[in-house]
């Protein structure tokens, strides 16, 4: 039996942990950016893993209530209202329909329409116009932002290994970072598919060796990264949108 | 603020609590319910954010993100899966940890003394007095851990430090730190399921 101060522990840090330990490490918050992102994408696609995470969240929940509450400056509430697009002088009545949901839906519809137009506009130029090939039946994956609003729509053509990335137009990153697209096959590390844009559609060619990974439940994610050096080996910046492929 | 405490002390999984009902109304678009939920829960969530993201203005920014997410995702709240305050707290933790992971310059490096058995200076005494059964059980199981491992687990959880940061902070090899934490987690699970 080793003491806790030497490094010769039997269950060393090198072996990959079990799924349940991986879930526990995610909840405890000890994972670096890369493994953390991989765990987050797994939660989206792997119900069993999501259940393990929920189990650990339950176990640790009492600790989250241990900290002494801290008074929040009133400016934070003002900014939240601004962020949600609520007029500051409007009383907090409960509307029958949520105007924000409408705008979110509208943005999604607009993007879908844009996607349709683009598909009609561009597909014939990319491929021989053979209707039997069914280019229009390709699956569309929504990459959602953290707040649930759509960020990008990805049309996945697994056979050709292309992704048509259509953004719901948004402001570029204030810090000047670029949007980098990642393919995360279930349980694997993110792989860069290069740069995408905040304001225009763009076709991404997936390297031939990775095309087999464009499968159900693989995750597409977009992070903010320095433009220099794309494609990067691993994401370091914040994930701004993600979604699981459903073919 | 005592209002928020009363709410979450009584929280048990599967039972409707005022926060549960607020979330239900928020999912239907009630701004009034949202404002009430914010009033009742934000001091607790701010404490979580501030502990992980030490810089105040950043923590305020994370808190805005947390509540924007709550507004948009209230419909996804599942009362069978987690208590309302736990659900909110986990969103706050995740947003705060995501924030510090995206800013490598904010790595925590201050030394961590594992042997000290001092009570957490930011602990909430009101909750200690009326701790829920879950809380008592978790405390019992944490207390079964070796004292240094217990403080390592607590530091990891409250500060959102990575394995690497913890290794630097306590001056031990990375493999050792991983191994302690993993063994502590297994021990904790075993105790909680007993």
């Amino acid at each position: 039996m080793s003491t806790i101060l030497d490094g010769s522990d039997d269950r060393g840090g090198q072996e990959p942990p079990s799924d349940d330990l991986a879930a526990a490490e995610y909840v405890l918050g000890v994972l670096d950016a890369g493994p953390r992102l991989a765990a987050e994408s797994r939660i989206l696609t792997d119900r069993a893993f999501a259940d393990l995470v929920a189990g650990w969240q339950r176990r640790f929940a009492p600790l989250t209530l241990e900290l002494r509450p801290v008074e929040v400056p009133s400016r934070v509430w003002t900014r939240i209202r601004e962020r949600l697009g609520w007029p500051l002088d409007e009383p907090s009545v409960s509307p029958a329909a949520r105007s924000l949901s409408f705008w979110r839906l509208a943005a999604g519809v607009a993007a879908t329409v844009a996607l349709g137009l683009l598909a009609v506009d561009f597909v014939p130029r990319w491929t021989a116009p053979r209707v039997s090939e069914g280019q229009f039946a390709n699956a569309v994956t929504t990459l959602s932002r953290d707040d649930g609003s759509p960020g990008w729509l990805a049309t996945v053509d697994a056979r050709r290994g292309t992704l048509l990335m259509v953004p719901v137009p948004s402001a570029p990153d204030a810090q000047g970072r670029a949007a980098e697209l990642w393919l995360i096959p279930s349980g694997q590390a993110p792989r860069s598919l290069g740069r995408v844009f905040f304001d225009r559609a763009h076709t991404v060619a997936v390297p031939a060796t990775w095309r087999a990974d464009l499968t159900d439940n693989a995750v597409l994610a977009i992070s903010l990264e320095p433009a220099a050096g794309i494609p990067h080996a691993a994401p370091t910046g914040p994930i701004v949108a993600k979604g699981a492929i459903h073919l | 603020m005592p209002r928020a405490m009363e709410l979450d002390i009584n929280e048990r999984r599967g039972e409707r609590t005022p926060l549960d009902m607020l979330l239900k109304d928020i999912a239907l678009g009630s701004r009034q319910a949202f404002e009430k939920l914010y009033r009742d829960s934000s001091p607790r969530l701010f404490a979580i954010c501030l502990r992980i993201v030490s810089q105040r203005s950043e923590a305020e920014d994370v808190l805005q993100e947390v509540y924007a997410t709550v507004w948009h995702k209230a419909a996804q709240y599942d009362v069978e899966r987690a208590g309302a305050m736990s659900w909110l707290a986990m969103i706050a933790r995740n947003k705060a940890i995501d924030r510090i992971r995206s800013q490598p310059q904010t790595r925590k490096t201050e030394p961590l003394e594992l042997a000290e058995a001092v009570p957490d200076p930011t602990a909430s005494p009101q909750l200690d007095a009326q701790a829920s059964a879950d809380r008592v059980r978790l405390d019992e199981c944490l207390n079964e851990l070796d004292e240094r491992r217990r403080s390592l687990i607590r530091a990891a959880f409250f500060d959102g430090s990575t394995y690497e940061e913890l290794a630097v902070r306590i001056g031990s090899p990375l493999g050792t730190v991983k191994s302690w934490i993993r063994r502590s987690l297994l021990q904790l699970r075993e105790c909680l399921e007993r």
Side-chain angles (χ1 to χ4, degrees), chain B residues 145-159:
Chain B
L145 298 177
D146 171 282
E147 186 185 307
R148 283 164 295 184
R149 293 188 186 189
R150 178 169 67 243
S151 46
L152 189 61
I153 290 279
R154 289 177 58 91
F157 186 82
F158 285 117
D159 297 345

Side-chain angles (χ1 to χ4, degrees), chain A residues 4 9-10 20 25 27 29 31 36 47 51 59 65-66 68 75 90 92 98 100 146-147, chain B residues 31 35 43 60 71-72 81 93 95 98 101 122 124 127 154 163 179-180 182-183 189 193:
Chain A
I4 89 157
D9 226 296
D10 47 355
D20 193 48
E25 289 177 322
V27 173
L31 298 179
R36 185 171 168 82
R47 181 75 193 182
D51 286 344
R59 291 185 187 112
L65 306 180
E66 206 176 286
R68 188 191 298 278
R75 60 178 170 267
E90 187 187 286
S92 297
R98 202 156 85 188
L100 207 83
D146 265 358
D147 63 11
Chain B
R31 293 182 186 180
E35 184 166 1
E60 288 177 18
W71 173 252
H72 291 303
R81 230 171 147 89
R93 271 179 64 70
K95 295 285 173 205
D98 284 344
R101 290 292 179 277
T122 56
S124 173
L127 267 183
R154 289 177 58 91
Y163 277 134
S179 162
W180 290 354
R182 287 176 179 171
R183 285 159 56 101
R189 184 185 64 188
E193 284 169 0

Side-chain angles (χ1 to χ4, degrees), chain B residues 14 23 27 50 58 88-89 101 105 116 128 137 146 148 174:
Chain B
L23 280 171
L50 201 54
E58 285 277 323
L88 295 171
R101 290 292 179 277
Q105 71 277 13
E116 63 187 337
D128 288 346
R137 188 82 195 107
D146 171 282
R148 283 164 295 184
L174 178 60

Side-chain angles (χ1 to χ4, degrees), chain A:
Chain A
M1 191 63 184
S2 55
T3 72
I4 89 157
L5 283 172
D6 71 27
S8 61
D9 226 296
D10 47 355
R11 241 180 302 241
Q14 280 72 36
E15 305 236 332
S18 69
D19 283 357
D20 193 48
L21 264 181
E25 289 177 322
Y26 168 75
V27 173
L28 187 60
V30 289
L31 298 179
D32 264 335
R36 185 171 168 82
L37 172 62
E40 282 172 350
S41 70
R42 204 172 160 196
I43 291 167
L44 286 180
T45 57
D46 181 344
R47 181 75 193 182
F49 185 70
D51 286 344
L52 292 174
V53 167
W56 281 101
Q57 287 179 336
R58 236 174 358 248
R59 291 185 187 112
F60 277 117
L63 273 189
T64 60
L65 306 180
E66 206 176 286
L67 296 176
R68 188 191 298 278
V70 179
E71 196 184 337
V72 186
S74 59
R75 60 178 170 267
V76 176
W77 175 243
T78 310
R79 286 187 196 143
I80 291 170
R81 290 187 62 107
E82 281 170 6
R83 193 175 179 134
L84 296 176
W86 298 355
L88 290 179
D89 49 356
E90 187 187 286
S92 297
V93 290
S94 108
R98 202 156 85 188
S99 61
L100 207 83
S101 297
F102 168 77
W103 287 113
R104 253 195 301 157
L105 186 67
V109 169
T112 309
V113 169
L115 180 66
L117 292 177
L118 282 163
V120 170
D121 193 18
F122 293 141
V123 168
R125 290 182 216 162
W126 295 334
T127 62
R130 284 176 50 196
V131 177
S132 60
E133 292 200 356
Q135 300 94 320
F136 296 98
N138 290 328
V140 175
T141 298
T142 305
L143 279 65
S144 301
R145 294 183 178 278
D146 265 358
D147 63 11
S149 64
W152 277 262
L153 297 173
T155 304
V156 181
D157 186 335
R159 200 172 54 83
R160 288 176 211 278
T162 60
L163 299 171
L164 172 61
M165 299 297 299
V166 180
V168 174
S170 63
D173 176 46
Q175 296 172 39
R177 290 170 295 186
E180 187 166 3
L181 176 66
W182 303 89
L183 171 64
I184 313 169
S186 198
Q188 295 182 42
R191 300 165 189 174
S192 178
L193 292 177
R195 184 169 185 177
V196 293
F197 301 93
F198 298 100
D199 55 355
R200 59 189 161 95
H202 169 59
T203 300
V204 175
V206 177
T209 49
W210 296 351
R211 280 181 198 171
D213 293 315
L214 285 176
T215 55
D216 254 355
N217 286 338
V219 168
L220 294 172
I222 289 175
S223 69
L224 298 177
E225 307 289 345
I230 290 180
H232 293 104
T236 56
I239 299 297
V240 291
K242 56 182 185 277
I245 297 176
H246 293 290
L247 295 178

Side-chain angles (χ1 to χ4, degrees), chain B residues 114-126:
Chain B
L114 292 187
E116 63 187 337
V118 291
D120 193 310
T122 56
S124 173
Q126 292 88 340

